[in-house]
Amino acid sequence: MSCHICVNCGVQYPLASSPPSHCLICEDERHYVDKNGQKWTTREEILGKYENKIQCEEDGLYSIRTEPHFGIGQRAFLVQTSHGNILWDCISYLDQKTIDFINGLGGLTAIAISHPHFFTTMIDWSHAFGDVPIYLHQDMKNWVVRPDKCIHFWNGETKDLFDGKLKLIHTGGHFDGSQALYWPDGASQRGVLLSGDEPQVCMDPEQVTFMHSFLNYIPLNENKIRRIMKNLQLVNYDRLYDAFIIYGTDGVILEKAQQIVQRSGERYLKAITKDSN
């Protein structure tokens, strides 16, 4: 009996004697099934074959990513606050070295996930740090393939965590339940947005983009773009970290991120609306 992990996307399924016949995440139009078919592994099988690289991005913020590449190359973040630490987004690979490092920083008080492509082994992460709560928007409920009592669903546009030290923002768009994390004390109190992959930093760091599917090049529609832009104006931030280090970018906009997001959204709307030139 094992909790099998999809090699292609990195999501973990419930305890079973054999792997699932299908992966809900991969078969969705936003992702894909590998040309060689669905493959499965377990945490036990991959232990020692990978390593998590943990890097301090700025005071109170650490990035965590797995080498060599696993799943879709997800990147997680640990945010430190005076009320505890939160893991933002999640990666599949979890070993004792990673657990010890995070415990050395004070452990975890909570986990929050931007969207289903980052569910990965989130239940194992929660259990490893004392069954800490995992905060997901209610609109992501149908995408949870390994239910657990540690998952807490919330409704609405925003949710304060840690007495306002952090805020979840329901953006929708990429998935109906997509959310971002706002850290007001980040960037020397200028505010940090941890966006998952919506918006995502472009090759030109003066631009971001928004997509229904990044892998399959499916754009978002006008209403969803306007919703994202509106809800991201509920907070003030100067710096943005997205979910990936890909295409030669480091996934960071160090300053004026809010203006760049607004300008990019307007550019996107001009490109997709019928009266654009």
Side-chain angles (χ1 to χ4, degrees):
M1 300 285 283
S2 297
C3 291
H4 294 88
I5 298 172
C6 172
V7 173
N8 193 41
C9 72
V11 71
Q12 186 184 53
Y13 282 74
L15 192 67
S17 58
S18 59
S21 58
H22 302 277
C23 177
L24 177 69
I25 304 299
C26 290
E27 292 183 353
D28 176 64
E29 67 180 3
R30 278 158 284 214
H31 204 64
Y32 65 96
V33 176
D34 187 82
K35 63 182 180 180
N36 296 317
Q38 198 71 57
K39 296 181 180 179
W40 302 91
T41 188
T42 66
R43 273 190 61 207
E44 295 76 17
E45 288 177 352
I46 61 176
L47 278 176
K49 299 178 181 178
Y50 296 86
E51 181 181 6
N52 285 336
K53 299 292 185 179
I54 303 175
Q55 178 176 320
C56 183
E57 301 289 341
E58 62 176 85
D59 288 345
L61 181 68
Y62 292 81
S63 62
I64 311 172
R65 58 188 179 87
T66 301
E67 292 185 354
H69 179 107
F70 186 84
I72 58 173
Q74 293 98 327
R75 176 168 64 162
F77 290 91
L78 184 145
V79 184
Q80 295 179 293
T81 80
S82 58
H83 286 62
N85 301 336
I86 191 168
L87 183 74
W88 169 248
D89 278 337
C90 199
I91 56 178
S92 302
Y93 189 70
L94 177 62
D95 60 6
Q96 192 60 47
K97 182 179 179 181
T98 304
I99 294 170
D100 291 343
F101 185 91
I102 292 175
N103 280 331
L105 296 175
L108 293 180
T109 303
I111 297 170
I113 310 291
S114 62
H115 67 285
H117 292 149
F118 285 80
F119 286 173
T120 63
T121 59
M122 62 180 180
I123 306 302
D124 283 357
W125 281 77
S126 171
H127 292 175
F129 293 96
D131 296 338
V132 298
I134 301 171
Y135 293 104
L136 305 179
H137 195 272
Q138 179 69 28
D139 289 345
M140 287 196 277
K141 190 171 186 176
N142 290 339
W143 293 98
V144 174
V145 297
R146 186 185 172 191
D148 191 274
K149 63 182 180 181
C150 62
I151 299 175
H152 294 249
F153 294 102
W154 66 279
N155 283 302
E157 300 303 300
T158 65
K159 179 178 178 61
D160 284 342
L161 300 175
F162 300 179
D163 288 339
K165 292 293 183 180
L166 299 166
K167 185 189 294 288
L168 292 172
I169 304 167
H170 179 211
T171 58
H174 182 47
F175 281 81
D176 289 344
S178 288
Q179 58 186 12
L181 180 68
Y182 174 55
W183 177 33
D185 289 340
S188 300
Q189 285 72 55
R190 300 193 312 275
V192 163
L193 184 73
L194 297 156
S195 67
D197 59 4
E198 185 181 73
Q200 187 175 107
V201 181
C202 298
M203 285 289 288
D204 175 3
E206 293 294 314
Q207 303 184 62
V208 299
T209 192
F210 318 79
M211 296 289 280
H212 177 70
S213 171
F214 292 90
L215 296 172
N216 297 321
Y217 309 110
I218 306 173
L220 279 179
N221 64 42
E222 179 181 354
N223 289 339
K224 290 184 177 181
I225 292 295
R226 292 193 184 281
R227 174 192 169 85
I228 294 167
M229 293 172 63
K230 176 183 176 182
N231 283 5
L232 290 183
Q233 289 175 343
L234 297 173
V235 295
N236 296 311
Y237 59 94
D238 191 51
R239 185 169 295 169
L240 182 149
Y241 295 88
D242 75 17
F244 296 101
I245 302 176
I246 54 175
Y247 309 135
T249 77
D250 58 7
V252 180
I253 299 174
L254 291 175
E255 59 183 9
K256 299 181 180 179
Q258 191 154 25
Q259 296 95 312
I260 290 171
V261 169
Q262 182 68 23
R263 184 173 68 245
S264 297
E266 292 168 357
R267 178 204 64 185
Y268 196 111
L269 288 171
K270 183 179 179 180
I272 65 172
T273 51
K274 61 184 179 180
D275 58 348
S276 61
N277 294 319

